[in-house]
Amino acid sequence: MAIFFFQPGGDDTLGRLRKTGVVRIGYAVEAPFAILSDRGEVTGEAPEIARHVVERLGISHIEWHQVELGGLIPELRAGRIDVIASGLFITPERSGKVLFSRPTMTVRQAMLVPAGNPRGLGSYREMAGRSDIAAAVLAGSIEDMLMTRLGMADVRLLRVPDALTGRRAVETGLADALLLSEPSLRWMLSRGEPGRLAVAVDDEQESGLPAFAFRLDEPEFRDAWDDALGAYLGSAAHRAMLGSLGLSWSPPAAKEADG
């Protein structure tokens, strides 16, 4: 039986994956981008698109690896996974560490707040400037980066491992808001006790661009993925899949899609 050893920096990643028949995909649970069902099945926007792309690329099996959000890029760079499929937003900081695919949609930033928004929160920038506000963010998330960039003091940033912990922080008063993308917060709100929480959208922030991520030294693999991805995005099958998750197709503008 042939044994294949992985070495980061190989010049034919797609060929290797086709030969072994397995691609290792990392994800962090954040619905609706990546979801772990009650039966232990991985689904969500990014995994379902990945399944389609992997099939088109001629790879027979996906090995799923659940990782906390902040650990995804280190796992990828260390060679323990081959692709990140988790709705990871494109940022300049991350682009220095990984190669991104074309974005799969555009996403607005938002806040999960108590019903009625008693603290009157309207934007991330406003929150960063108020000394009486505490915000929950997923550690290593785009929201974590944004609030740090806006100058919010670490003492007022509650970094949590997952969205459910962030939600509980708002419900218990430990945080005034949970900062996440609008689709994630709408999904969360639809599955909780009605009337206790609300979603406030930040119209000041630029829309986020979720995408797949690859190692810096594997551009040919990323380009092959992009070709298959481009043929699927916006198709009837893609739109139907998004609809099943309560999402709609929001294509990135041409300039955004070009990176």
Side-chain angles (χ1 to χ4, degrees), residues 111-119 121 127 170 176-179 185 189 196-200:
M111 300 159 280
L112 186 71
V113 297
N117 194 3
R119 306 305 298 273
L121 303 177
M127 292 183 67
V170 177
D176 297 295
L178 168 63
L179 312 186
L185 294 181
L189 200 62
R196 293 189 62 190
L197 300 171
V199 174

Side-chain angles (χ1 to χ4, degrees), residues 173-230:
L174 192 60
D176 297 295
L178 168 63
L179 312 186
L180 266 179
S181 69
E182 183 183 13
S184 295
L185 294 181
R186 299 264 182 224
W187 176 281
M188 186 182 299
L189 200 62
S190 71
R191 283 152 178 80
E193 185 179 338
R196 293 189 62 190
L197 300 171
V199 174
V201 175
D202 183 350
D203 290 322
E204 293 183 6
Q205 291 294 328
E206 292 185 11
S207 295
L209 300 172
F212 298 93
F214 308 82
R215 280 180 287 274
L216 289 172
D217 57 358
E218 297 178 336
E220 292 183 4
F221 179 35
R222 188 277 309 273
D223 291 347
W225 189 284
D226 255 359
D227 287 344
L229 186 58

Side-chain angles (χ1 to χ4, degrees), residues 238-256:
H238 176 226
R239 290 171 185 267
M241 181 275 290
L242 291 177
S244 71
L245 296 170
L247 297 170
S248 58
W249 173 227
S250 52
K255 185 176 180 180
E256 294 174 329

Side-chain angles (χ1 to χ4, degrees), residues 4 11 19 32 43-44 53 73 84 101 115 125 127 136 144 157 198 227-228 233 251 254-256:
F4 300 97
D11 60 357
K19 189 176 292 186
T43 185
V53 171
I73 289 178
I84 296 173
S101 71
R125 184 176 301 279
M127 292 183 67
D144 188 353
L157 272 178
D227 287 344
L233 294 179
K255 185 176 180 180
E256 294 174 329

